[in-house]
Amino acid sequence: MTVNSGSPAWYLRRLSRMGPREVGGRVGDAVRRRRWRSEPPDCPSVTGARFTAVLPAETFAAIPPDAAKRLIAEADRLMYGHAEFFGVVRDDLTDPDWWCDPKTGRRAPWGYAFDVPYRNEDAVGDIKQIWEPSRHQYLTQLAAAYAITGDERYAERVAEHLRSWWTANPPLRGVHWISGIELGIRLLSWVWIRRLLDGWPGAAGLFEGNPVALNQIWHHQRWLAAFPSRGSSANNHVIAEAAGQFAASCAFGWFPSSARWRTGALRSLERHLRSNTFPSGLNRELATEYHGLVLELGLAAVAEADAADVPVPATIRLVLLRMTDALAAVVDNRLRPPRQGDADDGHGLVVDGAGTDRWASLLATGDAVFGRLAWWPTVTGTDVRTPLLAALIRPYANKGTAPAVARPASRPGHFADAGMTILRGPAEIWCRCDGGPHGFLSIAAHAHADALSVEVRHDGVDVLADPGTFCYHGQPEWRQYFRSTLGHNTLQLDDSDQSVSGGPFLWTRQARSRVLVADASDASDGGTARWCAEHDGYQPSVHRRRVELTAASQELRIVDEVRGQHGPRRAVRLAFHLGPAIAADLADNRAVLTWTRDGEDRSAVLDLPGQLSWRSHRGETDPPLGWYSPGFGRKEPATTLVGTGFADGTAPLGEFTTVLRFRGPGDE
């Protein structure tokens, strides 16, 4: 049973996942918070501050016209007050209420920041809706529009909103001073806002000549230095904290503590980039969107280092290089990466308009900074961010910026440390097989109970889909469903998840998986790619799955076994979640799947295990079943096929075979 975040039971379970050092650090944090309540510090006086981390004059000429057009269209929508955050359309951004959640209508309470019960939606509202505009990434878009067009309306709106935010959110008061990731990303936004407004006559008066701005910048950095994410929480949050702190201490290095903050942030960034990343280059949280977030934050931090001529350890660039090569390796033919683990649409730096492909943008930046390899997919889209970052970051090939490193000579298909295998076949068949760790650190905060799940696409269309995430706080039944074993393309025993949840971001028992076979040879060459793995989440039984992708027949075969059972037979549920574009006609244990891609009708046949009883579910709410989340805060009905029955007999106790065959033109 899921325990609500913030309840006494949750705190006890959370404490049980911490080591002594983390507990000691958190006790020190608590003492410091109490002291800060009664002894509010003062920002030291600053004189003669200048902003020097500017972009080269020729930078904006390198921005592709279509990318600039998209950005300006987005900026104009923002000027009219229109924006959308996590599926909620807003028209109030001409004069934002920084504390109001438009989804619930609730307003966060005033008071000392660490007293605000931000996990309680009844008291605060949806915290993600409140926090997101205050990352000020929509202001970086407006600032970029000014830099491209010279239209001072954009700059004036940015200045108006920053002054409004600074007035409404004095240091340590209210909901925006609770979470370090918010402070870190906000600092990074402010650095880029100042950079992009550099040609505007009011820029210096808004930032370095403004005591209110200086006070905010100083207090943000002091907060981050005092309250870093620790131990079991040292995931993507600590990267954002370090990147924001480092960027600000480089670009806004005007304070007596700036050099110390810069040194500490760089040390933290280097350490945690390494610890958060497998040697293969995949992010250890095994949540693809956080791979993107960490890569964006790392690139932005290196840009600040190079702009300020601050040396960074070679390992930082090396980790970012490996992350970029890994991203290039796992995307499908439409540049879509896996939909794995949690996703909250978080970005490190936003300067582009709607319709810009995030993953194409990252690969384009990787090409500019590291150089593409021959096997990389072709990037056809354009963006604004790549030329801006490339204008600051020294190319990887420059002598002294990084050690020589052997990069993959061909496209990797198996990432042993992450347990991820990508099988590729003809007609752009793409299949992700999950045999990796449950998650990262002792709480595995952003993991799902998805061991041995598969994700299958045809020419970029989700056929067997990972349903996504949808929400974090406030809707526990939906949070539980989208993380559950039933919510993924895998097998469930006795109506139980493979791993045990202790709350929205906490797992108290984690299934252990191991890959037995991983032959990820490209099946489009005419052969068969194979994968096999098992996990121990249903002790004493073991769930083993084999997957084969055969080129000649365009066929994907999935065989599930329940092995090693001791005791009575076990109830089985086997789920296959179809993408939202897929229509399914289910008859007995055969489903005919149809969809349209680029105006062309396409189809497949899904032959399901006959010893199970199959039903189709779509858009059900009690309990949730048959949903797909295209992004955080959004969900839509989709078809889920669920087979029920029993595993019994002797080892193997149950064997269930599923065959997905894609039809070519003229196939019956």
Side-chain angles (χ1 to χ4, degrees):
M1 181 178 69
T2 298
V3 177
N4 289 337
S5 179
S7 69
W10 178 85
Y11 278 112
L12 286 173
R13 293 183 179 185
R14 184 68 183 83
L15 182 63
S16 72
R17 311 304 291 178
M18 301 180 193
R21 184 174 181 180
E22 180 180 355
V23 171
R26 290 178 182 270
V27 169
D29 290 346
V31 171
R32 191 173 298 109
R33 287 169 182 151
R34 295 192 66 176
R35 187 173 72 246
W36 282 21
R37 179 201 296 270
S38 58
E39 301 175 8
D42 294 322
C43 171
S45 60
V46 174
T47 57
R50 293 178 58 245
F51 183 83
T52 59
V54 298
L55 288 161
E58 66 276 9
T59 300
F60 297 101
I63 295 174
D66 58 331
K69 183 178 179 180
R70 288 194 304 273
L71 169 63
I72 293 165
E74 183 72 19
D76 288 340
R77 284 191 289 271
L78 291 168
M79 289 295 290
Y80 283 106
H82 302 312
E84 180 178 334
F85 299 108
F86 309 135
V88 176
V89 177
R90 300 182 60 165
D91 58 7
D92 62 342
L93 282 200
T94 52
D95 184 19
D97 182 340
W98 303 107
W99 293 37
C100 182
D101 164 28
K103 191 173 79 173
T104 64
R106 297 187 181 97
R107 202 165 186 275
W110 175 259
Y112 184 56
F114 299 114
D115 291 341
V116 177
Y118 70 97
R119 294 187 178 97
N120 185 344
E121 186 170 296
D122 292 335
V124 175
D126 185 333
I127 192 64
K128 291 283 287 180
Q129 288 288 342
I130 296 173
W131 276 344
E132 190 67 17
S134 288
R135 290 186 172 188
H136 291 166
Q137 292 175 326
Y138 78 95
L139 296 182
T140 58
Q141 293 172 304
L142 289 173
Y146 163 76
I148 291 172
T149 66
D151 188 335
E152 295 192 357
R153 294 181 307 118
Y154 301 124
E156 290 163 357
R157 175 62 58 82
V158 171
E160 176 187 336
H161 281 206
L162 284 178
R163 291 190 176 107
S164 167
W165 195 93
W166 290 332
T167 299
N169 296 278
L172 302 178
R173 312 305 292 180
V175 74
H176 296 300
W177 289 88
I178 296 171
S179 174
I181 188 174
E182 304 304 316
L183 277 73
I185 290 177
R186 191 155 52 238
L187 276 177
L188 187 58
S189 294
W190 292 352
V191 167
W192 275 89
I193 289 167
R194 175 60 185 89
R195 175 174 290 127
L196 292 164
L197 294 185
D198 191 61
W200 180 52
L206 179 62
F207 280 93
E208 57 265 33
N210 181 358
V212 175
L214 293 171
N215 188 50
Q216 286 276 350
I217 293 168
W218 184 80
H219 273 283
H220 271 67
Q221 294 185 83
R222 182 175 184 267
W223 193 110
L224 290 171
F227 301 113
S229 292
R230 300 179 184 277
S232 56
S233 294
N235 54 13
N236 64 87
H237 283 233
V238 77
I239 303 293
E241 294 159 10
Q245 176 81 298
F246 180 71
S249 58
C250 286
F252 301 149
W254 307 319
F255 307 102
S257 298
S258 290
R260 175 170 56 85
W261 288 337
R262 183 165 56 246
T263 299
L266 184 58
R267 184 185 306 116
S268 176
L269 184 67
E270 192 274 338
R271 173 191 169 196
H272 290 292
L273 270 176
R274 283 190 293 107
S275 64
N276 274 252
T277 309
F278 286 111
S280 66
L282 289 178
N283 183 264
R284 286 185 185 269
E285 292 195 77
L286 294 173
T288 306
E289 288 222 357
Y290 288 110
H291 182 107
L293 173 64
V294 168
L295 181 53
E296 289 171 353
L297 291 166
L299 289 168
V302 171
E304 296 307 325
D306 288 353
D309 202 24
V310 174
V312 299
T315 49
I316 289 181
R317 296 181 199 266
L318 180 57
V319 169
L320 298 177
L321 167 64
R322 286 175 172 162
M323 291 184 72
T324 307
D325 280 341
L327 176 62
V330 300
V331 295
D332 64 22
N333 68 304
R334 301 281 179 144
L335 301 186
R336 294 182 61 217
R339 284 168 54 91
Q340 182 180 21
D342 271 350
D344 72 346
D345 298 353
H347 289 71
L349 174 64
V350 180
V351 289
D352 276 285
T356 301
D357 187 300
R358 175 186 196 173
W359 309 105
S361 171
L362 277 170
L363 291 176
T365 303
D367 185 3
V369 174
F370 304 119
R372 59 175 285 113
L373 296 173
W375 54 262
W376 273 30
T378 301
V379 176
T380 56
T382 61
D383 70 316
V384 173
R385 189 176 61 190
T386 289
L388 300 186
L389 288 173
L392 298 177
I393 301 176
R394 296 173 187 144
Y396 188 80
N398 276 12
K399 184 176 292 186
T401 61
V405 59
R407 298 172 68 183
S410 59
R411 188 174 201 163
H414 176 58
F415 297 82
D417 47 14
M420 182 188 293
T421 305
I422 306 294
L423 308 182
R424 299 177 186 272
E428 308 300 347
I429 300 171
W430 176 98
C431 173
R432 173 180 66 86
C433 303
D434 179 7
H438 175 67
F440 182 47
L441 302 174
S442 62
I443 63 172
H446 291 297
H448 291 187
D450 58 355
L452 309 197
S453 63
V454 296
E455 185 184 2
V456 181
R457 299 178 193 156
H458 186 278
D459 197 13
V461 174
D462 291 311
V463 179
L464 302 182
D466 183 299
T469 299
F470 177 54
C471 66
Y472 280 172
H473 300 281
Q475 302 178 75
E477 72 281 6
W478 290 102
R479 174 64 170 153
Q480 177 61 19
Y481 168 69
F482 277 99
R483 311 199 292 166
S484 70
T485 297
L486 183 61
H488 294 84
N489 298 317
T490 189
L491 181 142
Q492 183 191 57
L493 288 184
D494 298 335
D495 297 325
S496 299
D497 284 340
Q498 311 148 338
S499 297
V500 177
S501 171
F505 299 97
L506 172 63
W507 297 91
T508 56
R509 183 177 60 77
Q510 303 176 18
R512 294 173 299 177
S513 302
R514 62 173 183 149
V515 176
L516 305 174
V517 176
D519 179 5
S521 304
D522 194 335
S524 61
D525 291 337
T528 298
R530 295 178 175 86
W531 173 85
C532 179
E534 63 185 21
H535 76 82
D536 66 354
Y538 298 129
Q539 294 181 6
S541 301
V542 171
H543 173 208
R544 178 176 292 182
R545 168 169 277 186
R546 305 193 309 272
V547 178
E548 295 183 352
L549 176 58
T550 303
S553 55
Q554 296 191 41
E555 178 181 286
L556 187 78
R557 179 176 295 266
I558 303 169
V559 180
D560 290 290
E561 299 177 33
V562 180
R563 304 167 64 91
Q565 177 181 347
H566 301 282
R569 65 181 185 170
R570 308 194 68 171
V572 168
R573 283 201 292 186
L574 181 60
F576 290 107
H577 299 263
L578 308 182
I582 307 299
D585 183 6
L586 176 66
D588 296 325
N589 66 316
R590 169 170 283 200
V592 177
L593 314 182
T594 55
W595 67 97
T596 301
R597 179 59 151 169
D598 297 333
E600 177 183 325
D601 292 336
R602 305 189 184 187
S603 65
V605 174
L606 185 62
D607 285 318
L608 301 157
Q611 64 267 54
L612 300 178
S613 176
W614 289 91
R615 286 188 57 196
S616 177
H617 303 264
R618 185 178 181 87
E620 298 173 10
T621 59
D622 189 20
L625 187 59
W627 294 92
Y628 179 94
S629 174
F632 194 82
R634 294 175 288 149
K635 66 180 188 299
E636 59 186 274
T639 299
T640 296
L641 305 176
V642 178
T644 58
F646 295 92
D648 55 297
T650 57
L653 300 168
E655 185 169 297
F656 308 96
T657 300
T658 304
V659 179
L660 174 63
R661 181 174 177 272
F662 292 96
R663 290 170 162 175
D667 287 355
E668 294 297 328

